[in-house]
Amino acid sequence: MDRMNASLSWEDVRLHQGTNPSSSVCIAPSKAAAVVQEMAIGDAEVDVECRVIERFGEPEGLGPPAGRITALQYCLADITLLAAGTQSGGVFVFKDGVRYPPLLGHSGSVMDLEWSDNTQILITASLDKTVRLWWLEHAGEKAARCIRVIAEPAVPLCVRTTPSNNNIFLVGTVACLLKFYNVSTGKVVKRHKVPQATGYLTWSNSGKMVYLADAGGRVTACEYDYLSHSLKRRSQVVLDREGESAVTSLCLLASGGRSLLLANVMHSAVYLLNAACPMTVLRRLPVPQQTTILRSQFCHFPTPSFATGSEDGSLWLVQDPEQRPASQLQALKLQGHQGAVLNVAVNKNGCIASGDEMGCVMIWECTTKAAPNVKAAPAGEAAGAGDDARSGTSL
């Protein structure tokens, strides 16, 4: 797979599919193969334990070979609902351990997807230059139907509904445009030209601020007026001074009176930002990310933590990255995938979904525990599977 660099645009298929997409279906590993490898730095104690409770992979049927998992999201209104977009264009919906019939219609990789508040509408953006709205009756238990297809002149990279009005959604395209759409009519109600393509975006809980991640390594905070759909830039932070590394993921966490942003940067690391304007960088945490788009999510543990994909085939779970000294940062490396972990999604029950380049989705149940002392390992070195490893169990 080619390395992303300045000569590659967001529109290039290599960003999401690679130059030689695998045509093979996923062969899910046995449940006994799922291992949690503990990595301790300094004298930190591991106080979270995780186990695999569900695994979905393509040899189990229901639809064509999916290819890599390119988008993954839990529904906020129903935390048992999970949607996964794939390289082939298929969209899969899971609920309570059941995979429902796939949503077929896209002819290109699904770049992003978004649930509506009522759990019955799913919005998907694809490399085939369309945005589709799907109606899911009874939360996917019956065959879903596409109720609207919106053709875009350029590839839509990301899509999010506005918290202040669920009938409005925002799309970022490779043509450096942000477009506000009306769900009911499918018409554009406002468009904005931006300096760089917005590859990912997230809203504040109030819906008054939107954070944009672009292909030039920048995160921009904009104030949003829900009446006029106008955007006004309030702050910007540059995470890649060379402008060659795209920000591939953004996640916002409002906790303890302050707001934090989590940002994945291609060829670099995961950054923890103070989301208050002016935005500032708090921490830089190296994570293997060289040739693929990876995404991260904050987790709902007693202390702010986050889960991120990585190219080493592990799901990384980093605890309390803001408060702990660098010498005491701790992480779990959740192993079981057979390829790079590209996407993660987290619900409020403490479950983490992870999707990989082989088309597998794994659901992890994570709970806090009273941890015994963990023997310190040298900085940057993980404990071996034979030293401090646990087998992931399943229901």
Side-chain angles (χ1 to χ4, degrees), residues 332-370:
L332 297 178
K333 293 182 69 176
L334 311 183
Q335 299 177 335
H337 287 281
Q338 293 189 340
V341 179
L342 309 179
N343 275 274
V344 297
V346 178
N347 71 14
K348 293 183 179 180
N349 272 2
C351 290
I352 302 174
S354 54
D356 65 28
E357 64 181 347
M358 304 299 291
C360 285
V361 174
M362 297 173 65
I363 312 296
W364 305 80
E365 182 182 64
C366 299
T367 56
T368 56
K369 68 179 180 67

Side-chain angles (χ1 to χ4, degrees), residues 60-327:
E60 299 170 10
L62 287 180
R68 59 180 55 195
I69 304 298
T70 53
L72 200 61
Q73 190 180 112
Y74 274 107
C75 178
L76 291 177
D78 182 351
I79 59 176
T80 64
L81 267 178
L82 174 70
T86 66
Q87 171 189 342
S88 70
V91 180
F92 294 84
V93 175
F94 312 93
K95 181 177 173 64
D96 294 325
V98 177
R99 178 171 60 183
Y100 293 106
L103 284 61
L104 303 178
H106 284 303
S107 60
S109 177
V110 176
M111 308 298 282
D112 199 9
L113 48 77
E114 171 80 340
W115 288 99
S116 68
D117 284 346
N118 63 10
T119 76
Q120 291 184 308
I121 294 179
L122 182 66
I123 308 172
T124 57
S126 171
L127 198 66
D128 65 8
K129 298 184 180 181
T130 66
V131 174
R132 287 177 177 260
L133 278 65
W134 308 86
W135 181 264
L136 284 74
E137 297 184 23
H138 304 291
E141 296 175 16
K142 295 183 179 179
R145 54 191 174 94
C146 181
I147 58 174
R148 192 176 304 281
V149 180
I150 300 172
E152 279 284 350
V155 173
L157 301 174
C158 55
V159 57
R160 287 292 177 270
T161 56
T162 61
S164 56
N165 185 350
N166 197 48
N167 196 47
I168 301 294
F169 65 91
L170 178 59
V171 173
T173 77
V174 76
C176 302
L177 286 175
L178 292 171
K179 296 182 178 181
F180 286 94
Y181 279 93
N182 185 293
V183 171
S184 301
T185 65
K187 303 296 185 181
V188 177
V189 296
K190 189 80 171 183
R191 69 185 69 207
H192 298 270
K193 184 71 176 179
V194 290
Q196 290 271 359
T198 300
Y200 209 82
L201 63 91
T202 190
W203 290 92
S204 65
N205 293 339
S206 66
K208 295 180 179 180
M209 295 289 292
V210 61
Y211 299 88
L212 312 174
D214 70 31
R218 295 173 297 190
V219 176
T220 304
C222 295
E223 185 178 347
Y224 170 65
D225 185 302
Y226 73 94
L227 294 176
S228 64
H229 306 296
S230 63
L231 295 175
K232 186 174 182 179
R233 193 177 85 171
R234 288 302 185 187
S235 181
Q236 186 178 81
V237 61
V238 180
L239 301 181
D240 176 35
R241 295 291 177 184
E242 302 298 325
E244 298 181 1
S245 298
V247 181
T248 62
S249 173
L250 275 183
C251 183
L252 181 74
L253 175 68
S255 174
R258 65 181 307 188
S259 296
L260 301 174
L261 272 175
L262 192 65
N264 283 77
V265 180
M266 186 73 79
H267 306 151
S268 182
V270 176
Y271 286 80
L272 187 68
L273 311 176
N274 177 7
C277 298
M279 294 184 294
T280 54
V281 176
L282 300 176
R283 304 297 285 270
R284 180 184 182 277
L285 306 167
V287 169
Q289 180 177 6
Q290 292 296 318
T291 63
T292 52
I293 290 178
L294 302 181
R295 287 169 178 164
S296 302
Q297 286 273 303
F298 281 111
C299 303
H300 303 277
F301 293 127
T303 57
S305 307
F306 72 87
T308 182
S310 73
E311 291 179 350
D312 65 5
S314 302
L315 172 65
W316 287 38
L317 180 59
V318 180
Q319 293 182 267
D320 203 8
E322 180 188 15
Q323 299 297 332
R324 290 181 183 271
S327 62

Side-chain angles (χ1 to χ4, degrees), residues 19-102:
T19 53
N20 296 297
S22 173
S23 61
S24 62
V25 299
C26 165
I27 301 177
S30 66
K31 292 190 176 183
V35 174
V36 179
Q37 186 179 26
E38 297 176 358
M39 181 177 68
I41 302 175
D43 296 323
E45 291 186 351
V46 177
D47 58 2
V48 174
E49 60 182 2
C50 303
R51 60 176 183 170
V52 179
I53 58 174
E54 301 290 348
R55 182 186 276 105
F56 304 94
E58 265 318 300
E60 299 170 10
L62 287 180
R68 59 180 55 195
I69 304 298
T70 53
L72 200 61
Q73 190 180 112
Y74 274 107
C75 178
L76 291 177
D78 182 351
I79 59 176
T80 64
L81 267 178
L82 174 70
T86 66
Q87 171 189 342
S88 70
V91 180
F92 294 84
V93 175
F94 312 93
K95 181 177 173 64
D96 294 325
V98 177
R99 178 171 60 183
Y100 293 106

